[in-house]
Amino acid sequence: MRFLITAGPTREAIDPVRYISNRSSGKMGYALAEAALEAGHAVVLISGPVCVAAPAGAEIERVTTAEEMADAVQRRMDTGCDVFVMCAAVADFRPRAVSARKIRKSDGLASIELEPTRDILATVRPPKNRRVIIVGFAAESDELEMNAQKKLREKRCDVICANDITRMDTGFDADENELNLYFRDGKKARLPRDTKLNLARELIKIFMMIAENH
Ligand code: C5P
């Protein structure tokens, strides 16, 4: 199987030295890439700026902005993939205008006007004649199940892997995670707290089961 996995945050420039981003470490996406390779699959990893070492054997494409990630995903989707895992924490907003020169502190900056970035998961589509398993992630601080189910439907995923980001010891920027899975057919599953690599190994098995049932 050919896996297309995104990981890490995106950065949206304010000026040549400043940007908007988030706390994503990329660890979950990199663990998924490692687990897929371990299971004998081919992996293309599209990564935002992170400090994690790339797993040996993955073809890695580095991007910075949400727009660059969207373009890379569409291009890789067009050249073929069987499982698409959108694990990246894409910045939801970007500055409407990017200053070409560094904004001076002495000039002041009362506000930054923002505009939404493209929703990659919701807009990238596989080629018409291919069946691609589509996996989304959801980092939620409240109403975990309701929000995850909504994303499952609206972003037309086969499965959403949701985690509770109010917990300091799991999820964002942590080595461990705990996931609630919501499937397109209405089934649910819970992967209890474990290392991101062990959870990734379980997820790869689950994605393979979805693929077999299609
Ligand atoms: O709507 P929300 O950002 O919570 O949805 C999370 C899912 O959507 C994740 O899989 C994330 O990678 C994806 N996403 C995206 N493009 C965006 C924002 C989120 O693909 N601009």
Side-chain angles (χ1 to χ4, degrees), residues 129-147:
N129 54 351
R130 284 202 74 85
R131 172 74 179 110
V132 179
I133 307 292
I134 297 180
V135 182
F137 273 72
E140 303 296 341
S141 59
D142 55 273
E143 306 274 18
L144 184 102
E145 170 153 11
M146 198 186 75
N147 288 322

Side-chain angles (χ1 to χ4, degrees), residues 36 43 62 66 68 77 95 111 114 122 131 142 163 178 204 214:
V43 175
R62 295 184 193 278
E68 285 169 12
M77 187 74 96
S111 63
L114 301 176
R131 172 74 179 110
D142 55 273
N163 67 301
E178 192 176 287
I204 299 298
H214 275 106

Side-chain angles (χ1 to χ4, degrees), residues 6 8 10 66 69-70 84-93 116-124 135-140 147 151 154-155 157 160-161:
T6 67
T10 67
M69 186 172 278
F84 169 48
V85 189
M86 191 65 216
C87 191
V90 183
D92 290 316
F93 300 98
T117 55
R118 177 152 39 129
D119 191 315
I120 303 173
L121 191 53
T123 57
V124 164
V135 182
F137 273 72
E140 303 296 341
N147 288 322
K151 281 168 198 174
E154 289 177 355
K155 304 196 187 205
C157 299
I160 285 273
C161 313

Side-chain angles (χ1 to χ4, degrees), residues 6 18 22 32 44 63 81 92 116 125 166 184 202 207 210:
T6 67
R18 305 185 181 93
N22 60 63
L32 278 162
V44 171
V63 296
C81 85
D92 290 316
R125 284 296 127 210
T166 57
R184 188 198 283 259
E202 288 307 309
F207 303 159
I210 300 177

